[in-house]
Amino acid sequence: MEQDETRSVPGDEYVLDTPPVRAFIAAARESISAAFSPEEACEAIRPRFAELLADATWLPAEYQAAASESGMGGGIGQWLLHRAEDGSLSLFSLVVPPASETPIHDHLAWGLVGLYRGAQDEEIYRETNGGLELVERRALGTGDFYVLIPPRDDIHRVRTTSAETSVSIHLLTNDTGCVWRHTYEPASGDRKPFRSGYVNVACDDDAAAP
Ligand SMILES: [Fe+2]
């Protein structure tokens, strides 16, 4: 029987419900279910992710806008585009105004992250005895992306270095905005529970803390 590429699971949420988003998510799901490991899944998703970053037409301006009130602070907008009902996948944009930076944070899920617009510097940290160590600094330009497989490279901070707002696209295997993760103090390495939320949708259990 011919497969419908745009079929979806009941209850999945397409905040941005368009053919390109549905086709991308359907292909990503196929890759994830056919893969034996996160590495293999990410490798299979890479070509379509590169296409998504290169296509200037699919992401409406409202999902590329800064947000004055956001869990990340600094006018940083985290806009949900799609999430799976069971919390196993989310696609969102992260909008960081010029010179703004995120707190140091983690994600607690594997996936792909890439730059759709602008330029960013990314600092990657690892926890050491009693602190945080900066292990790598990367400059990302439009179209650059990387595979994230925790715990490696999971703790990071992102800063926009372009004169224009930067927009990155995240495909991660959790409901990143709604799970409890962590922010970190750079000097002490102190870790605090953190839930960023999304600008445009609520989390189910808004009152619940870990
Ligand atoms: Fe991040």
Side-chain angles (χ1 to χ4, degrees):
M1 198 172 100
E2 192 178 323
Q3 291 204 324
D4 174 4
E5 198 193 3
T6 60
R7 74 191 182 283
S8 65
V9 180
D12 285 350
E13 197 173 350
Y14 285 87
V15 181
L16 179 56
D17 194 355
T18 61
V21 170
R22 283 195 174 253
F24 175 75
I25 292 298
R29 282 179 186 282
E30 296 266 352
S31 297
I32 290 167
S33 56
F36 291 102
S37 66
E39 288 82 357
E40 198 180 308
C42 290
E43 197 54 37
I45 295 167
R46 285 180 75 99
R48 286 219 184 223
F49 197 66
E51 280 174 23
L52 200 65
L53 295 177
D55 178 352
T57 65
W58 68 274
L59 188 64
E62 64 186 286
Y63 301 105
Q64 303 185 47
S68 55
E69 287 182 23
S70 82
M72 282 279 186
I76 295 168
Q78 184 170 345
W79 299 93
L80 182 68
L81 306 173
H82 162 78
R83 66 180 164 188
E85 185 178 31
D86 65 0
S88 64
L89 193 67
S90 61
L91 180 72
F92 61 91
S93 62
L94 187 78
V95 179
V96 183
S100 254
E101 64 180 18
T102 66
I104 301 174
H105 64 272
D106 58 18
H107 311 83
L108 308 179
W110 59 266
L112 296 104
V113 181
L115 211 53
Y116 189 63
R117 209 178 91 192
Q120 293 178 347
D121 264 358
E122 190 191 8
E123 292 175 343
I124 297 144
Y125 295 84
R126 77 179 165 87
E127 287 185 285
T128 59
N129 281 341
L132 278 187
E133 183 189 358
L134 176 65
V135 290
E136 195 183 334
R137 188 171 275 133
R138 296 178 189 152
L140 293 182
T142 305
D144 291 342
F145 67 96
Y146 59 89
V147 166
L148 173 63
I149 301 179
R152 185 169 53 84
D153 299 349
D154 193 35
I155 303 173
H156 79 160
R157 165 159 65 191
V158 167
R159 177 184 302 122
T160 291
T161 54
S162 49
E164 67 166 335
T165 292
S166 72
V167 179
S168 54
I169 303 297
H170 300 237
L171 178 75
L172 290 172
T173 48
N174 64 0
D175 184 3
T176 311
C178 289
V179 298
W180 281 97
R181 43 198 176 118
H182 309 96
T183 56
Y184 297 78
E185 270 304 314
S188 62
D190 278 355
R191 194 162 96 147
K192 291 205 183 80
F194 168 63
R195 184 158 73 166
S196 59
Y198 298 104
V199 182
N200 55 336
V201 299
C203 297
D204 267 350
D205 50 345
D206 270 335

